[in-house]
Amino acid sequence: MKQMLPPNAKISKEAKETMQECVSEFISFVTAEASDRCHKEKRKTVNGDDICWALGTLGFDDYAEPMRRYLHKYREVEGDRSASDGQNTRSSNFGTGDGQMLFDDMDRNNPSTSTRY
Amino acid sequence: MLVGGVSGRTGPHSLPLARIKRIMKRSSDDVRMISAEAPVVFSKACEHLIGVLVRRAWAAALRRKRRTLLKEDVAAAVANTDVFDFLVQVVQQQPK
């Protein structure tokens, strides 16, 4: 959070807690929609496509397409990883530092999110 | 099944996957199984959400000539953004 603000900015504890609650609610909100779709299609597993679909349906249009691209790349990476089983040259931390280069493509296309203080 | 996600804390580019998965499971009785990729997608989506919320809340704080982000600034950001209507109740809840 702090990385998105100027160095002299402060965030109150209450504001941080509220942000966390907003994120939790976001996850619940989108998951419920995705899960509903799975249920109607008689599928048991909520997957990345369901999340992307739910994002689009709920009005998060700006998120849906970048997430689809991100998901596509994630699947490529994971596919490579399991294909080279035993070599394990790729880090398993897709969601952390090692995945950073895969995020950049999305951030480049979305200038509003690429600003970092 | 789960991707790495070693960091248990919110880092510059990831949120804890286990926590995301827990929230997903709580969200609905219909949720049974969750693929490994779903929390990963959410981790990225939540980063974007936080980015938008923080920037808008910060703009609200600056309008009020403050450099400390308060809950009311987050509430203002939510109120000013149509797609955040589902968060109106969250920001209105009184602290314990």
Side-chain angles (χ1 to χ4, degrees), chain A residues 27 31, chain B residues 15-25 34 38-40 42-44 46:
Chain A
I27 295 169
T31 301
Chain B
L15 295 169
L17 298 180
R19 187 169 168 196
I20 292 173
K21 195 172 168 188
R22 259 201 313 276
I23 299 169
M24 288 179 72
K25 289 206 169 218
I34 300 171
V40 173
F42 260 127
S43 177
K44 192 64 180 166
C46 289

Short mmCIF file of all heavy atoms in Angstrom, two decimals, chain A residues 27 31, chain B residues 15-25 34 38-40 42-44 46:
data_model
loop_
_atom_site.label_atom_id
_atom_site.label_comp_id
_atom_site.label_asym_id
_atom_site.label_seq_id
_atom_site.Cartn_x
_atom_site.Cartn_y
_atom_site.Cartn_z
N ILE A 27 -13.02 -10.24 -2.62
CA ILE A 27 -12.80 -11.66 -2.90
C ILE A 27 -14.09 -12.44 -2.73
O ILE A 27 -14.46 -13.27 -3.57
CB ILE A 27 -11.69 -12.24 -1.98
CG1 ILE A 27 -10.34 -11.58 -2.29
CG2 ILE A 27 -11.58 -13.75 -2.13
CD1 ILE A 27 -9.26 -11.89 -1.27
N THR A 31 -15.98 -14.23 -5.78
CA THR A 31 -16.01 -15.69 -5.66
C THR A 31 -17.44 -16.22 -5.68
O THR A 31 -17.72 -17.24 -6.32
CB THR A 31 -15.32 -16.16 -4.36
OG1 THR A 31 -13.97 -15.73 -4.35
CG2 THR A 31 -15.36 -17.68 -4.24
N LEU B 15 -0.18 -11.22 -2.34
CA LEU B 15 -0.96 -11.37 -1.11
C LEU B 15 -0.93 -12.83 -0.73
O LEU B 15 -0.79 -13.69 -1.60
CB LEU B 15 -2.39 -10.89 -1.35
CG LEU B 15 -2.54 -9.41 -1.65
CD1 LEU B 15 -3.94 -9.09 -2.13
CD2 LEU B 15 -2.21 -8.59 -0.44
N PRO B 16 -1.05 -13.13 0.56
CA PRO B 16 -0.94 -14.54 0.97
C PRO B 16 -2.04 -15.41 0.34
O PRO B 16 -3.23 -15.17 0.54
CB PRO B 16 -1.07 -14.50 2.49
CG PRO B 16 -1.49 -13.14 2.83
CD PRO B 16 -1.19 -12.23 1.71
N LEU B 17 -1.61 -16.40 -0.42
CA LEU B 17 -2.56 -17.23 -1.17
C LEU B 17 -3.47 -18.03 -0.25
O LEU B 17 -4.65 -18.24 -0.55
CB LEU B 17 -1.80 -18.16 -2.12
CG LEU B 17 -0.96 -17.47 -3.20
CD1 LEU B 17 -0.28 -18.49 -4.06
CD2 LEU B 17 -1.80 -16.53 -4.03
N ALA B 18 -2.91 -18.51 0.87
CA ALA B 18 -3.72 -19.32 1.78
C ALA B 18 -4.87 -18.51 2.35
O ALA B 18 -6.00 -19.00 2.50
CB ALA B 18 -2.85 -19.88 2.91
N ARG B 19 -4.59 -17.25 2.64
CA ARG B 19 -5.63 -16.40 3.19
C ARG B 19 -6.72 -16.12 2.17
O ARG B 19 -7.91 -16.11 2.48
CB ARG B 19 -5.00 -15.10 3.66
CG ARG B 19 -5.97 -14.24 4.40
CD ARG B 19 -5.27 -13.09 5.07
NE ARG B 19 -6.25 -12.14 5.54
CZ ARG B 19 -5.99 -10.90 5.89
NH1 ARG B 19 -4.74 -10.48 5.84
NH2 ARG B 19 -6.94 -10.11 6.30
N ILE B 20 -6.28 -15.89 0.93
CA ILE B 20 -7.25 -15.67 -0.15
C ILE B 20 -8.14 -16.89 -0.30
O ILE B 20 -9.37 -16.77 -0.42
CB ILE B 20 -6.51 -15.39 -1.49
CG1 ILE B 20 -5.78 -14.05 -1.42
CG2 ILE B 20 -7.48 -15.42 -2.66
CD1 ILE B 20 -4.89 -13.77 -2.61
N LYS B 21 -7.52 -18.05 -0.24
CA LYS B 21 -8.29 -19.28 -0.40
C LYS B 21 -9.32 -19.42 0.74
O LYS B 21 -10.46 -19.83 0.50
CB LYS B 21 -7.33 -20.47 -0.39
CG LYS B 21 -7.95 -21.74 -0.91
CD LYS B 21 -6.90 -22.82 -1.06
CE LYS B 21 -7.60 -24.16 -1.29
NZ LYS B 21 -6.66 -25.27 -1.26
N ARG B 22 -8.90 -19.05 1.95
CA ARG B 22 -9.83 -19.14 3.11
C ARG B 22 -11.03 -18.24 2.90
O ARG B 22 -12.17 -18.62 3.15
CB ARG B 22 -9.10 -18.70 4.38
CG ARG B 22 -8.63 -19.83 5.24
CD ARG B 22 -8.38 -19.42 6.67
NE ARG B 22 -7.62 -18.21 6.85
CZ ARG B 22 -6.29 -18.14 6.85
NH1 ARG B 22 -5.57 -19.22 6.65
NH2 ARG B 22 -5.67 -16.99 7.04
N ILE B 23 -10.78 -17.04 2.45
CA ILE B 23 -11.88 -16.08 2.21
C ILE B 23 -12.80 -16.61 1.12
O ILE B 23 -14.03 -16.50 1.21
CB ILE B 23 -11.33 -14.68 1.83
CG1 ILE B 23 -10.48 -14.12 2.96
CG2 ILE B 23 -12.47 -13.73 1.49
CD1 ILE B 23 -9.69 -12.88 2.58
N MET B 24 -12.20 -17.19 0.08
CA MET B 24 -13.02 -17.74 -1.00
C MET B 24 -13.94 -18.83 -0.47
O MET B 24 -15.13 -18.88 -0.82
CB MET B 24 -12.11 -18.33 -2.09
CG MET B 24 -11.36 -17.29 -2.92
SD MET B 24 -10.30 -18.03 -4.17
CE MET B 24 -11.52 -18.63 -5.34
N LYS B 25 -13.41 -19.68 0.37
CA LYS B 25 -14.22 -20.81 0.88
C LYS B 25 -15.37 -20.31 1.73
O LYS B 25 -16.44 -20.90 1.75
CB LYS B 25 -13.34 -21.76 1.68
CG LYS B 25 -12.40 -22.54 0.81
CD LYS B 25 -12.00 -23.87 1.42
CE LYS B 25 -11.29 -24.69 0.38
NZ LYS B 25 -11.55 -26.09 0.39
N ILE B 34 -11.32 -25.39 -5.16
CA ILE B 34 -10.74 -24.19 -5.76
C ILE B 34 -9.44 -24.59 -6.44
O ILE B 34 -8.57 -25.16 -5.81
CB ILE B 34 -10.45 -23.13 -4.67
CG1 ILE B 34 -11.74 -22.73 -3.95
CG2 ILE B 34 -9.79 -21.90 -5.29
CD1 ILE B 34 -11.50 -21.87 -2.73
N ALA B 38 -6.79 -20.01 -9.06
CA ALA B 38 -7.78 -18.99 -8.68
C ALA B 38 -7.23 -17.99 -7.65
O ALA B 38 -7.35 -16.78 -7.85
CB ALA B 38 -9.06 -19.65 -8.19
N PRO B 39 -6.63 -18.44 -6.54
CA PRO B 39 -6.05 -17.46 -5.61
C PRO B 39 -4.93 -16.64 -6.23
O PRO B 39 -4.73 -15.48 -5.87
CB PRO B 39 -5.51 -18.32 -4.46
CG PRO B 39 -6.28 -19.60 -4.53
CD PRO B 39 -6.55 -19.81 -5.98
N VAL B 40 -4.22 -17.23 -7.17
CA VAL B 40 -3.14 -16.49 -7.85
C VAL B 40 -3.73 -15.33 -8.65
O VAL B 40 -3.22 -14.21 -8.62
CB VAL B 40 -2.32 -17.43 -8.76
CG1 VAL B 40 -1.32 -16.66 -9.60
CG2 VAL B 40 -1.59 -18.48 -7.93
N PHE B 42 -6.58 -13.89 -8.07
CA PHE B 42 -7.10 -12.93 -7.09
C PHE B 42 -5.99 -12.07 -6.51
O PHE B 42 -6.18 -10.88 -6.26
CB PHE B 42 -7.81 -13.66 -5.95
CG PHE B 42 -9.29 -13.66 -6.09
CD1 PHE B 42 -10.01 -14.85 -6.03
CD2 PHE B 42 -9.99 -12.47 -6.27
CE1 PHE B 42 -11.39 -14.84 -6.17
CE2 PHE B 42 -11.36 -12.45 -6.40
CZ PHE B 42 -12.08 -13.65 -6.35
N SER B 43 -4.85 -12.69 -6.26
CA SER B 43 -3.73 -11.94 -5.70
C SER B 43 -3.43 -10.73 -6.58
O SER B 43 -3.25 -9.61 -6.10
CB SER B 43 -2.51 -12.86 -5.58
OG SER B 43 -1.41 -12.14 -5.12
N LYS B 44 -3.39 -10.96 -7.87
CA LYS B 44 -3.10 -9.87 -8.80
C LYS B 44 -4.26 -8.89 -8.86
O LYS B 44 -4.07 -7.68 -8.88
CB LYS B 44 -2.82 -10.46 -10.19
CG LYS B 44 -2.22 -9.47 -11.15
CD LYS B 44 -0.87 -8.99 -10.69
CE LYS B 44 -0.27 -8.01 -11.67
NZ LYS B 44 0.87 -7.30 -11.10
N CYS B 46 -6.43 -8.22 -6.61
CA CYS B 46 -6.50 -7.45 -5.36
C CYS B 46 -5.45 -6.34 -5.32
O CYS B 46 -5.69 -5.27 -4.78
CB CYS B 46 -6.33 -8.37 -4.14
SG CYS B 46 -7.76 -9.43 -3.87
#
